Amino acid sequence: MIKQRPLGDHSLAVSEIGFGGWPLGGQWGRQTDEDSVVALHAALDAGVTMVDTAAGYGEGRSERVIAGVLAERSAANDVLVATKTPPAPGPWPPSPYCRWQDRYSAAYLRDNVQQRLTNLGVERLGLLQLHTWTRAWNEDPQPLLVLRRMKEEGKLGLVGISTPEQDQNCVIPLMQNGLVDVVQVVFNLFHQQPAAQLFAAAEETGTGVIVRVALDEGALTGKYAADHVFPDDDFRSQYFAGDRMARTARRVDAIRQDVAKFGLTERYSLADVAIKFALSPPQVSTVIVGMRNTQQVEQNVAAAALPDLPEALLHVLRRHDWHRGVWYSGK
């Protein structure tokens, strides 16, 4: 079974590997609900106790699939489902000129949270995260105060923020002021910014840390060649647009060479290395990985069970930190 880690200081433990529910929404290419159900059951059977989803994953489709699976299981209460509320329509990520009143008003938040409750078939959300943020709202973080009130009302268990990729440290003051229980961050071999300040702030404040994009949207598995082209119905056709796949593949090869120097290529796949790297900071509570089928579930669960990477290798892998900007906005 998968090891469990504390989710900050919230008297709650979650599996080291979490089930990423984005593919269940259909934005990673064709995905049937039947395949999603089988994959999620396999993950839960393997000891996964953390499931991540969002309103935007297929306009609630991912949430509804997850709700259906959990309704079939007697131990569903042992699973933490983390979902997300997006801001009202506007720039993504929010610009410095966006007003919280226009993007996360109290009425909008309450209505959206009710939709999340309905889709998941529950009366209380285990973890509700704002799907993005801007430090422009840090001086007047009213949306978080609304969520704290909803927490007091019993509609939410924990409150969090999924960090904006271009400014992850904007959540640190919110952590220090006790406004968030959990933060979800991008941390992988190419994007190591949280190691500078955010992880230390999480330890000081008892904030839970969820890591996303540990495999860099699949690139760090090493299975995509420089000339790989994703189909149009896969969001990665934009994420890796132009020469991005070729640039990424060259850097993945450099990681592969470093792992080979330590004689670990027979025991650890590149995906294993990427997952173990993401799990290496002690402040990390769980690493969510997208799982579309039982094969991916088995591979990810097996990766978590492997011994930790040698400290010497972790030190070498730090050189792959890559300041490449924000790719989610397209080419």
Side-chain angles (χ1 to χ4, degrees):
M1 298 295 280
I2 304 175
K3 293 180 182 177
Q4 306 285 309
R5 292 189 179 191
L7 187 64
D9 62 1
H10 302 297
S11 301
L12 180 67
V14 291
S15 53
E16 287 188 333
I17 295 293
F19 184 95
W22 191 359
L24 277 56
Q27 291 105 324
W28 287 61
R30 185 176 181 275
Q31 177 79 8
T32 68
D33 289 349
E34 290 76 14
D35 287 343
S36 297
V37 167
V38 171
L40 182 50
H41 272 300
L44 298 175
D45 289 342
V48 169
T49 59
M50 166 72 188
V51 177
D52 180 79
T53 184
Y57 298 168
E59 297 183 354
R61 176 184 172 190
S62 174
E63 291 176 322
R64 291 188 290 272
V65 170
I66 291 166
V69 170
L70 292 180
E72 299 174 7
R73 301 182 67 96
S74 59
N77 291 336
D78 297 330
V79 178
L80 176 66
V81 177
T83 191
K84 309 180 195 75
T85 286
W92 189 299
S95 83
Y97 308 104
C98 288
R99 304 187 321 145
W100 64 259
Q101 294 92 332
D102 300 324
R103 308 300 302 280
Y104 281 132
S105 70
Y108 169 81
L109 285 172
R110 287 187 174 277
D111 180 68
N112 193 278
V113 167
Q114 185 57 50
Q115 293 177 34
R116 311 278 67 73
L117 290 165
T118 299
N119 281 353
L120 288 167
V122 296
E123 297 182 356
R124 176 179 175 273
L125 298 175
L127 168 58
L128 188 282
Q129 303 154 100
L130 297 180
H131 208 151
T132 187
W133 186 259
T134 169
R135 69 171 60 234
W137 302 332
N138 279 8
E139 298 304 314
D140 187 24
Q142 289 298 319
L144 290 171
L145 298 182
V146 172
L147 295 185
R148 303 303 290 190
R149 286 195 290 273
M150 296 183 74
K151 180 178 178 179
E152 294 171 358
E153 294 165 7
K155 291 184 172 63
L156 312 176
L158 299 173
V159 171
I161 286 180
S162 183
T163 57
E165 292 80 11
Q166 85 289 357
D167 186 16
Q168 298 206 91
N169 285 342
C170 74
V171 300
I172 291 178
L174 307 174
M175 297 160 67
Q176 294 170 334
N177 290 329
L179 292 173
V180 291
D181 305 308
V182 177
V183 291
Q184 184 176 132
V185 304
V186 177
F187 180 69
N188 60 45
L189 285 160
F190 290 150
H191 193 121
Q192 302 179 31
Q193 180 198 32
Q197 290 180 290
L198 195 147
F199 289 153
E203 185 170 1
E204 293 170 1
T205 59
T207 305
V209 176
I210 299 170
V211 165
R212 69 185 191 272
V213 200
L215 298 178
D216 191 43
E217 311 303 5
L220 287 168
T221 64
K223 65 182 181 181
Y224 298 118
D227 60 353
H228 184 85
V229 177
F230 290 95
D232 291 341
D233 62 351
D234 190 321
F235 92 98
R236 291 174 294 180
S237 63
Q238 294 299 311
Y239 186 81
F240 291 112
D243 66 345
R244 290 177 174 178
M245 194 74 254
R247 292 163 57 200
T248 301
R250 288 195 296 269
R251 290 177 176 268
V252 170
D253 283 341
I255 295 170
R256 184 182 287 110
Q257 292 170 23
D258 281 345
V259 175
K261 291 174 183 176
F262 281 78
L264 297 176
T265 52
E266 291 189 5
R267 187 169 190 186
Y268 293 79
S269 69
L270 278 181
D272 295 337
V273 171
I275 289 173
K276 296 303 288 190
F277 180 86
L279 282 167
S280 62
Q283 300 87 356
V284 171
S285 305
T286 185
V287 173
I288 54 175
V289 187
M291 306 187 207
R292 302 182 61 171
N293 51 55
T294 55
Q295 180 183 10
Q296 292 180 354
V297 170
E298 292 168 359
Q299 291 171 340
N300 295 328
V301 169
L306 288 168
D308 293 342
L309 298 176
E311 285 295 327
L313 176 57
L314 289 173
H315 183 79
V316 169
L317 292 175
R318 293 173 185 170
R319 75 182 184 93
H320 297 287
D321 187 32
W322 182 9
H323 299 284
R324 66 183 182 188
V326 181
W327 285 14
Y328 290 97
S329 57
K331 179 69 173 166

